Amino acid sequence: MTATLATRDTDMTLSEAIRQRRSVRGYLATPVPEATLQAVFELAQWAPSNCNVQPWQVFVASGATRDQLRQRFLDNVAQGRAMTPDMGFMPALDGSHRDRQVVCAQALYGAMGIERGDKAGRMGATLRNFALFDAPHVCFIGMDRRFGLPMALDVGMYAQTLMLAMTAHGIGSCAQGSMGYYPEDVREAFGISDDIAILFGISFGYEDDSVAANRARTVRASLDESVVFRR
Ligand SMILES: Cc1cc2nc3c(=O)[nH]c(=O)nc-3n(C[C@H](O)[C@H](O)[C@H](O)COP(=O)(O)O)c2cc1C
């Protein structure tokens, strides 16, 4: 079934979808209809990749699979089980990268009313990741673990294409590196071989705009900090 037949997206332009997409960290329980799921993931298949290899392997958890994984993640955290991401953790940052990280955290904690120095509040906000921000769906994005950085570029292209497709269908999303912290549980839930590394996940569904975290807004560096034009 093609995307056009399965469901209709909004009349959003690409520019609008790019600007309207933002990380949603609180969801309604309402599941995304099956036809819309198919349409969105079909659209994302059109992401570019080096030599059109399409290395992404995507595992979408809904219903009981989602419930069980969510509970497993929460139990893992409660029991202090070691996090073992296949691709390691984000490195410690400094300079302007660290500054942007701090501004981003302040926007989120500020929206949630978490005061500076409130360690328990911050921990609670972090734990929301493992509750999937109550999203009815989460997809895990993996690839053959031998591929490494060159192919991970393709997977990143896929992920943004997928999230823009979701935005265009009125679906909120949040990319989560934290969804790669317990890869063994994901492999077990889906019967995935150990050859597939889980890079990260994306929780998604319909936004609950009464959730305070969803009032957080991020900013971007000015163009001259990121792009060099030379003629
Ligand atoms: C690869 C990747 C991993 C991320 N991991 C997390 C995460 O684990 N938890 C989280 O709350 N947000 C996570 N984010 C969301 C970023 O914080 C967010 O994209 C960034 O602050 C920009 O905000 P925006 O998405 O609202 O535009 C991740 C984003 C990306 C691209």
Side-chain angles (χ1 to χ4, degrees), residues 152-174:
L153 302 179
D154 299 336
V155 177
M157 304 236 172
Y158 172 84
Q160 170 70 335
T161 307
L162 176 63
M163 291 192 291
L164 291 178
M166 288 178 173
T167 303
H169 285 78
I171 300 166
S173 63
C174 184

Side-chain angles (χ1 to χ4, degrees), residues 11-106:
D11 293 325
M12 211 177 272
T13 65
L14 177 61
S15 305
E16 286 166 345
I18 290 170
R19 289 190 187 275
Q20 284 185 27
R21 186 219 55 80
R22 61 185 162 72
S23 294
V24 170
R25 298 185 178 90
Y27 293 86
L28 302 172
T30 320
V32 176
E34 189 59 35
T36 308
L37 280 182
Q38 294 286 328
V40 163
F41 282 90
E42 196 278 335
L43 202 49
Q45 284 295 102
W46 292 95
S49 57
N50 198 341
C51 297
N52 202 25
V53 167
Q54 305 162 64
W56 46 85
Q57 299 272 308
V58 186
F59 307 92
V60 186
S62 308
T65 304
R66 170 268 188 206
D67 295 348
Q68 285 156 15
L69 270 170
R70 178 180 183 274
Q71 193 56 53
R72 181 70 77 94
F73 293 151
L74 291 171
D75 291 346
N76 288 345
V77 173
Q79 291 160 16
R81 215 184 120 209
M83 296 171 179
T84 56
D86 290 328
M87 296 288 165
F89 291 101
M90 191 174 172
L93 304 177
D94 56 19
S96 60
H97 297 115
R98 174 68 187 153
D99 295 343
R100 292 173 194 162
Q101 191 179 36
V102 169
V103 169
C104 171
Q106 283 169 344

Side-chain angles (χ1 to χ4, degrees), residues 206-229:
Y206 298 109
E207 179 171 354
D208 180 348
D209 56 20
S210 71
V211 172
N214 286 338
R215 290 197 283 276
R217 295 290 180 273
T218 55
V219 293
R220 294 297 186 270
S222 61
L223 207 53
D224 60 346
E225 288 185 60
S226 306
V227 184
V228 175
F229 295 98

